[in-house]
Every structure is written in structure tokens, then in C-alpha cells.
Amino acid sequence: MVSALKTLIVCALLSALAAAPAAAREMSAADQVKTMGRGVNVLGYDPLWKDPAQARFQLRHFKTIKDGGFDTVRVNLHAFEHMDADNRLDPAWLKTLDAVVQAALAQKLTVILDEHDFGPCGEDPAACKPRLTAFWRQIGERYRAAPDRVVFELLNEPNKGLDDAVWNGWVAELLPVVRATNPTRNVIVGPAFWNNIAHLDALQLPAQDRHLIATVHYYLPMEFTHQGASWNPSTPKTGVTWGTEAERQRMKTDFDGVQAWAKAHDRPILLGEFGAYDKGDMASRAAYTAAAARQAEARGWAWAYWQFDSDFIAYDIKKDAWVEPIHKALVPR
């Protein structure tokens, strides 16, 4: 009788386990990059954040992005200007962010929350650090239960005062802030000097944290990609073309160097920004964009083009249409 009862109990437990939903599987950094695939930067300089009624970008554009062949949006957040004197994020701004995240997730897009205050952080690291720490404490808590398609990026393009040594120290301090509420969420971290590939070797990531994705940005040669850009006076000349065999080989060699680092450190790669400014000729811009995207894909990286709207544009908001040469370069069809 006792033996029969034990058998019944064991059978009942096994049936219950079989009927229970499988536990959520945490996504590895490598699998996250595979899921991220092709992406585009969005919303960095849109009026949406201060006055949604004035927004250029509409939430419906997430469907446009998904239907356009993209898998990811990298949402550029200038959060510092939406903090009070105690570094608390404005509830109205957070409400807008929630709507953005929900709309993107509804289209089955991966959403990268990229803290994009690289300017103030590079100019005044001492003032930046408490704000950046407060940002991740609040965002970590707010999105602790978000699906794994929400990914965090600690800081876009650390630069100037955030040199290699200082930035590595910050990474070691910021990650525990995130991990306190998001122990297995994948987090994107890039090297100092504007996420420059030449500084990747100096980037120090905690070996025990396997939920990290390394990112680099690629705009070389700057005299081509930033020609005519008013904010970059070192590249005033226009009429610079791109596409020779030597130029293509340089890109391949540069990407090979990143890939060698990725294999040596067992870290997946996101090419977080690339593109060529609107002052260049369209044929060269499209050739450059296509070459970078295909080189990244050939190495198994995810990528995010700079950017959907504003400049370097892939989508013309006024015409409500893709800039076809750039779109075709990114998503061949």
C-alpha cells in the first residue's frame, strides 16, 4: 500500500512537471547578436522626447522598420536633460520611453536602450558619473521584468576625459548597478575613444560576466564619411568618393582585426554605428554602406546603421519613404 502510494505521488509530480510551462531560457550574448541581426539607430534628436506632439518619428514607423527588413532598433537616449537636481528621471519622459519600447517590441524588434550622453560625459566625467549611475539604477529597476529583446548599452562613444583607463574603471562600477536588477540581461559595452576599433584591445570586460556584447563604430576613412559635416571641421572637403579595391581592402583588414579580438576574448560583436554623411555622392555612400553591412554579416556580427532620420538618413520622414539607394544597400532584395 505504501509502495503504491509512493508510485502515485511520483507519477503525479512527473505529470505536473510535464504540464508546467518551461522556464524562460536566458539568452546568451551570442544568441542575442544572432537575433539582433540588422538594425537602425532611431530617435536620438527627435522632438518626441520634449513634446510628443512635435515628433517627426511616429510609433507606426516601427512597423515600417520591421517591414523594411530590420530586426533591431538602437534607441539613442539623451537622458541627462530629463533629470532633476537629484538625478531622478522625469516621469513624463519615462512614460514616453515606455511607449517607444512597447511599440518596438510589438513589432518583434530587439530594442537597444543606448545612453547617448557622450558629449557631457567626455567633457566632464566627474559630473557625468553620478548621473550615468543614477540612470542605470532607475532604468534597470524599471525594465527588470522586460523581455530579453530589451538590451542595455552602458554609454555611447566614451571620449576625451573618459580615456581607456577611466572608462574601464567605470565599466567595472556600472555593471554591478545593472546586475543588481538584471543579472542575465545582455549589456553592450564598447571601447573608449568614440568606440574606436583601435582601442578595442584596451577594453577590459569582467571575464565572469558572459552576458556582454562588445560594440565598435566604424566611419573610416573620416574624410569620406564625414565630408562637409559642420560639426567636424577637420573634414570640410566635399567631393570625396569611395570604392576602390584598396579602400575595400582597408575595411576588410579593419574588420578582420575586430574579429580576431572577438575570437580571442570570446565576445560577440555589434557594429553599433556606420554610414556616410549626406554630403557625399550617393553612389559612393551606398557602396560604402553595403560593404560595411556585408563585411559585418560575413563575420556573424549584428549591425545598426546610423541612422533612420535626421542625417545620414535611411528614411525620408517628409516623403514618408525609404531613401532607396541606402535602404537597398542595407537590405538587399
Side-chain angles (χ1 to χ4, degrees), residues 83-88 131:
M83 284 178 163
D84 65 16
D86 294 316
N87 295 331
R88 290 174 300 201
R131 289 192 155 200

Side-chain angles (χ1 to χ4, degrees), residues 186-269:
N186 287 310
V187 176
I188 297 167
V189 186
F193 203 75
W194 314 90
N195 291 155
N196 194 305
I197 60 170
H199 286 247
L200 190 55
D201 281 339
L203 179 63
Q204 295 175 4
L205 300 176
Q208 74 279 8
D209 192 333
R210 303 314 302 170
H211 285 284
L212 298 177
I213 297 166
T215 189
V216 292
H217 294 178
Y218 193 78
Y219 291 108
L220 298 176
M222 290 288 286
E223 56 267 24
F224 167 68
T225 64
H226 282 64
Q227 60 185 293
S230 60
W231 68 88
N232 195 347
S234 64
T235 57
K237 181 182 175 183
T238 57
V240 182
T241 60
W242 186 91
T244 68
E245 187 58 36
E247 289 164 339
R248 291 175 180 274
Q249 183 59 48
R250 178 189 177 180
M251 179 184 287
K252 181 179 183 301
T253 300
D254 287 342
F255 282 35
D256 283 345
V258 174
Q259 187 75 338
W261 181 94
K263 289 183 176 179
H265 294 267
D266 190 24
R267 301 288 189 183
I269 298 292

Side-chain angles (χ1 to χ4, degrees), residues 224 227 239-244 247-248 275-292 305 323-330:
F224 167 68
Q227 60 185 293
V240 182
T241 60
W242 186 91
T244 68
E247 289 164 339
R248 291 175 180 274
Y277 186 51
D278 306 357
K279 297 293 185 182
D281 78 274
M282 183 58 81
S284 290
R285 289 175 59 214
Y288 180 91
T289 299
Y305 175 75
V323 178
E324 280 302 320
I326 299 300
H327 187 213
K328 289 179 180 178
L330 292 167

Side-chain angles (χ1 to χ4, degrees), residues 28-212:
S28 72
D31 285 345
Q32 188 93 63
V33 163
K34 290 177 184 176
T35 301
M36 287 160 64
R38 296 168 171 171
V40 63
N41 284 267
V42 298
L43 284 168
Y45 304 95
D46 199 285
L48 171 84
W49 300 111
K50 293 183 179 179
D51 182 1
Q54 300 299 316
R56 295 191 306 268
F57 189 98
Q58 305 295 316
L59 296 184
R60 67 179 175 82
H61 286 128
F62 287 122
K63 184 177 189 304
T64 301
I65 289 168
K66 184 66 176 181
D67 291 347
F70 296 90
D71 311 293
T72 294
V73 286
R74 181 174 180 253
V75 183
N76 312 132
L77 303 174
H78 296 267
F80 290 3
E81 61 190 271
H82 302 283
M83 284 178 163
D84 65 16
D86 294 316
N87 295 331
R88 290 174 300 201
L89 288 162
D90 179 4
W93 184 85
L94 286 167
K95 184 178 178 180
T96 299
L97 178 59
D98 287 345
V100 165
V101 171
Q102 290 164 13
L105 289 175
Q107 296 301 323
K108 295 182 168 50
L109 292 162
T110 294
V111 182
I112 300 170
L113 298 183
D114 151 49
E115 217 309 301
H116 209 77
D117 281 300
F118 63 99
C121 286
E123 294 292 344
D124 191 349
C128 163
K129 191 176 182 182
R131 289 192 155 200
L132 190 60
T133 303
F135 172 84
W136 284 117
R137 186 172 291 114
Q138 292 168 81
I139 292 299
E141 178 61 39
R142 193 173 190 88
Y143 291 103
R144 66 188 304 167
D148 55 20
R149 282 188 291 115
V150 176
V151 182
F152 296 163
E153 183 170 349
L154 286 185
L155 179 66
N156 174 74
E157 296 186 346
N159 64 89
K160 296 182 180 178
L162 283 179
D163 61 18
D164 295 317
V166 174
W167 177 235
N168 285 331
W170 281 28
V171 170
E173 294 180 43
L174 288 168
L175 281 173
V177 174
V178 173
R179 294 298 178 222
T181 49
N182 293 263
T184 61
R185 188 172 303 282
N186 287 310
V187 176
I188 297 167
V189 186
F193 203 75
W194 314 90
N195 291 155
N196 194 305
I197 60 170
H199 286 247
L200 190 55
D201 281 339
L203 179 63
Q204 295 175 4
L205 300 176
Q208 74 279 8
D209 192 333
R210 303 314 302 170
H211 285 284
L212 298 177

